[in-house]
Amino acid sequence: MKKRRAIFFDRDGVIVTPILRNGKPTAPWKRDEFQIKADVHQILSLIGSFGFLRILVTNQPDITHGHVSPREWRWMQSCIEQLPFDDVFICFHTNTEGCLCKKPKPGMLLEAAKKWHIDLSHSYMIGDTGADTKAAAAAGCKSILVEAPYNKRVKGNYKVKCLFDAALLIQSS
Ligand SMILES: [Mg+2]
Ligand SMILES: [Zn+2]
């Protein structure tokens, strides 16, 4: 079977506007904090038209931490499910649980690669933090960092201003 190429997407800070708390980007905790970034639906469709699988890989420890109620989280997730992703992988664990899925570990990317027969060396992870770029490197795919004031010191294979610029970069690859 021919292997597929994929684009892995982080959620908070890439698909969804991050909420800054004490200067750190965090997930929205309530539905009135939740906002999908502009043009995400169209950009995902565009990337799909280039032949890539679109896979969300997101750390969501805030239910376990008690910052977000299951009810609010499910409401936000129902919005995510309206977007044209081919698959969604979610790690609900906290740092202390020692799971293999929480980024910067590559578990979710490796699991997706197995499930979908993905050629990781010709795939990309789009993220906004070092956990994303490190997970990409550990999985053997390239990272694209969406630049933000809080990630100036994060290293990635590529840096872009916005998700649309990431789509253009992917198109030319
Ligand atoms: Mg993020
Ligand atoms: Zn996990």
Side-chain angles (χ1 to χ4, degrees), residues 65-121:
H65 284 306
H67 296 315
V68 58
S69 73
R71 184 193 172 92
E72 288 300 275
W73 192 86
R74 277 195 300 273
W75 184 89
M76 295 187 266
Q77 180 61 16
S78 71
C79 299
I80 294 292
E81 284 165 7
Q82 306 296 313
L83 296 169
F85 285 112
D86 296 294
D87 209 346
V88 173
F89 290 79
I90 305 169
C91 167
F92 291 106
H93 305 113
T94 62
N95 281 328
T96 55
E97 292 178 79
C99 71
L100 297 174
C101 39
K102 190 176 175 67
K103 295 176 288 181
K105 288 184 180 159
M108 291 188 282
L109 287 77
L110 298 178
E111 195 185 333
K114 199 171 163 189
K115 180 175 172 182
W116 290 93
H117 302 280
I118 292 167
D119 177 359
L120 286 168
S121 66

Side-chain angles (χ1 to χ4, degrees), residues 10-14 18 25 103 127-129 132 150:
D10 175 46
R11 197 194 86 168
D12 304 303
V14 173
K103 295 176 288 181
D128 69 324
T129 66
D132 301 316
Y150 54 78

Side-chain angles (χ1 to χ4, degrees), residues 7 9 39-52 54 84 163-171:
I7 308 299
F9 298 83
D39 304 325
V40 163
H41 199 292
Q42 295 90 328
I43 294 167
L44 288 173
S45 296
L46 183 65
I47 289 172
S49 76
F50 301 154
F52 288 88
R54 299 147 300 183
L163 198 57
F164 183 70
D165 286 352
L168 296 180
L169 176 75
I170 288 159
Q171 185 183 28

